[in-house]
């Protein structure tokens, strides 16, 4: 979403495209600094996060410290208690469920860096907040001994790194994400096909038993993206994080504004922000989009949280019990 004012005195509320270039984008040093904020922190299970919204859900965990990995053909020495009788009957060959130690769980972070996130009214851009959150999750995963990898994408490129238990892997991923962020120079509308491409890639790359974090707009997923997530959800813990700016929720009283948003299309629409009815319609547009997304993710049994550009990222993740 972009908003611009026709009055000279209201220029401070325009998207932050007139600020020095260096201050707009993420700094690798700042992302590295989050490493020292997560000592003694750990990632919560998806079940803990989900309990805040629906009172819990079916978990992929089995017993203490074990997570489901895959079903494969039975091999000598496998525990017969883990035989999958349904698959065995269907294939006429004995198959067993394979479980792995929880500490070996790969953590996959997906960060959107598209023009839709190149917006921020006061503290920072949504794209920058997305990488702040990604960095905190990444350092926390490494700190607790998990593998870390992920996918980042903008409107032109995707980058993927296989998960490893190495600091350099996270640093490389963050550097690649920052490079994609520097490919942004103006705000734009949401392009659902970009998340569709990302989720399709995840289907190919994410291994069973992984922990997956989706960070971005998340309000306008296509049906294909939803189907991809439904497939991933069968063997992966997924948490979705919606990034927003307060100006997207509430229209300021600034007189006549030029507004372009996802629900209005590419054309600028002049609106009078002093009218109460106009501000209410604007507020309702966001609420409707958010509620639709909540319903979609609830049906998928995936927790969806929202974090503002003005939030302190560590405090927000603690608030929603993503980390503890």
């Amino acid at each position: 979403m972009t908003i611009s004012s026709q009055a000279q005195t209201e220029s401070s509320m325009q998207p932050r495209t007139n600020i020095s270039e260096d201050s707009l984008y993420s700094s690798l040093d700042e992302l590295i600094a989050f490493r020292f904020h997560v000592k003694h922190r750990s990632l919560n299970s998806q079940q803990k996060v989900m309990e805040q919204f629906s009172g819990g859900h079916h978990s992929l965990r089995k017993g203490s410290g074990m997570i489901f990995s895959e079903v494969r053909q039975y091999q000598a020495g496998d525990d017969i208690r883990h035989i999958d009788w349904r698959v065995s009957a269907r294939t006429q060959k004995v198959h067993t469920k394979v479980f792995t130690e929880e500490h070996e769980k790969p953590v996959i972070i997906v960060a959107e860096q598209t023009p839709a996130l190149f917006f921020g009214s006061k503290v920072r851009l949504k794209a920058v907040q997305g990488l702040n959150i990604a960095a905190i999750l990444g350092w926390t995963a490494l700190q607790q001994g998990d593998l870390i990898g992920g996918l980042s994408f903008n409107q032109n490129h995707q980058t993927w790194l296989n998960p490893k238990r190495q600091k350099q892997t996270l640093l490389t991923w963050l550097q690649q994400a920052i490079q994609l962020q520097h490919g942004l120079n103006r705000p734009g509308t949401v392009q659902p096909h970009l998340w569709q491409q990302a989720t399709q890639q995840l289907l190919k790359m994410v291994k069973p038993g992984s922990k997956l974090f989706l960070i971005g707009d998340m309000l306008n997923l296509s049906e294909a993206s939803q189907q991809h997530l439904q497939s991933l959800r069968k063997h992966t813990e997924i948490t979705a994080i919606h990034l927003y700016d307060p100006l997207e929720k509430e229209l300021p009283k600034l007189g006549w504004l030029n507004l372009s948003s996802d629900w209005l299309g590419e054309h600028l629409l002049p609106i009078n922000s002093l009218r109460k009815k106009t501000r209410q319609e604007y507020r309702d547009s966001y609420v409707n989009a958010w509620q639709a997304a909540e319903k979609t993710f609830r049906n998928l049994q995936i927790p969806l949280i929202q974090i503002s550009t003005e939030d302190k990222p560590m405090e927000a993740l603690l608030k929603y019990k993503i980390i503890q």
Side-chain angles (χ1 to χ4, degrees):
M1 183 205 75
T2 58
I3 297 176
S4 59
S5 171
Q6 295 177 347
Q8 186 69 25
T9 58
E10 296 155 3
S11 61
S12 62
M13 296 305 296
Q14 295 181 18
R16 301 175 50 174
T17 53
N18 59 339
I19 301 177
S20 64
E21 181 175 325
D22 289 343
S23 66
L24 280 176
Y25 302 100
S26 295
S27 159
L28 183 61
D29 288 341
E30 291 178 356
L31 298 181
I32 292 174
F34 283 117
R35 179 185 181 188
F36 304 102
H37 298 174
V38 300
K39 289 185 177 180
H40 312 298
R41 299 290 184 186
S42 61
L43 298 175
N44 259 326
S45 69
Q46 185 206 45
Q47 187 173 7
K48 289 279 189 181
V49 181
M50 198 73 175
E51 283 172 358
Q52 302 174 81
F53 305 97
S54 62
H57 66 94
H58 177 69
S59 173
L60 294 175
R61 294 171 180 270
K62 177 179 173 61
S64 176
M66 301 293 287
I67 57 171
F68 174 75
S69 176
E70 62 179 329
V71 174
R72 61 162 169 76
Q73 196 165 335
Y74 181 86
Q75 298 175 5
D78 286 342
D79 192 334
I80 60 174
R81 293 174 298 176
H82 296 162
I83 291 177
D84 191 321
W85 297 107
R86 184 174 300 177
V87 175
S88 299
R90 186 174 67 248
T91 61
Q92 296 299 303
K93 293 181 179 179
V94 180
H95 280 71
T96 183
K97 296 176 183 178
V98 178
F99 298 88
T100 59
E101 293 291 338
E102 184 176 3
H103 66 265
E104 294 182 349
K105 178 187 294 184
V107 174
I108 307 298
I109 301 173
V110 183
E112 177 183 357
Q113 294 289 292
T114 70
L117 301 190
F118 196 73
F119 180 81
S121 59
K122 291 183 180 179
V123 180
R124 59 180 70 86
L125 298 179
K126 292 192 287 183
V128 170
Q129 184 73 310
L131 292 194
N132 289 343
I133 294 166
I136 292 172
L137 295 174
W139 291 122
T140 304
L142 282 177
Q143 199 271 143
Q144 68 182 28
D146 287 329
L147 310 177
I148 183 69
L151 175 74
S152 55
F153 65 94
N154 65 10
Q155 69 278 24
N156 298 316
H157 302 287
Q158 285 186 4
T159 63
W160 166 265
L161 273 184
N162 288 320
K164 296 180 180 180
R165 194 177 293 109
Q166 296 177 0
K167 179 178 73 173
Q168 188 57 46
T169 300
L170 179 58
L171 288 174
T172 300
W173 185 88
L174 291 172
Q175 287 173 320
Q176 291 176 345
I178 290 174
Q179 283 185 320
L180 292 176
Q181 191 181 97
H182 277 266
L184 308 177
N185 54 33
R186 62 188 303 175
T189 57
V190 170
Q191 302 176 58
H193 74 277
L194 297 177
W195 267 106
Q196 184 172 321
Q197 292 170 358
T199 53
Q200 187 172 20
Q201 178 75 351
L202 293 173
L203 278 176
K204 301 175 183 177
M205 307 303 294
V206 174
K207 294 183 178 180
S210 297
K211 193 177 186 71
L212 181 59
F213 292 98
L214 310 175
I215 308 171
D217 179 77
M218 311 310 300
L219 296 191
N220 296 273
L221 295 185
S222 66
E223 288 188 13
S225 294
Q226 295 174 36
Q227 291 171 1
H228 296 160
L229 291 179
Q230 188 172 34
S231 297
L232 285 164
R233 172 67 184 84
K234 294 175 181 178
H235 56 74
T236 308
E237 285 192 10
I238 307 176
T239 300
I241 300 174
H242 162 60
L243 303 171
Y244 75 94
D245 187 87
L247 197 55
E248 294 177 300
K249 283 190 172 184
E250 195 77 29
L251 194 65
K253 297 180 181 179
L254 292 176
W256 283 95
L257 302 170
N258 287 326
L259 182 145
S260 172
S261 73
D262 308 322
W263 56 85
L264 293 172
E266 297 290 345
H267 301 290
L268 289 175
L269 177 68
I271 60 172
N272 184 0
S273 63
L274 297 178
R275 294 180 68 236
K276 183 178 180 179
K277 181 179 179 181
T278 298
R279 296 196 305 275
Q280 184 62 48
E281 290 175 347
Y282 180 90
R283 187 182 305 116
D284 290 345
S285 295
Y286 178 87
V287 170
N288 292 338
W290 167 250
Q291 290 178 344
E294 275 191 310
K295 181 179 180 180
T296 294
F297 281 90
R298 185 165 56 249
N299 291 338
L300 291 169
Q301 290 191 307
I302 296 173
L304 173 66
I305 68 170
Q306 52 181 337
I307 296 180
S308 165
T309 54
E310 294 186 346
D311 288 338
K312 294 180 179 179
M314 175 67 77
E315 291 181 3
L317 292 171
L318 287 168
K319 172 187 174 182
Y320 288 109
K321 299 182 180 180
I322 306 297
I323 60 176
Q324 60 181 356

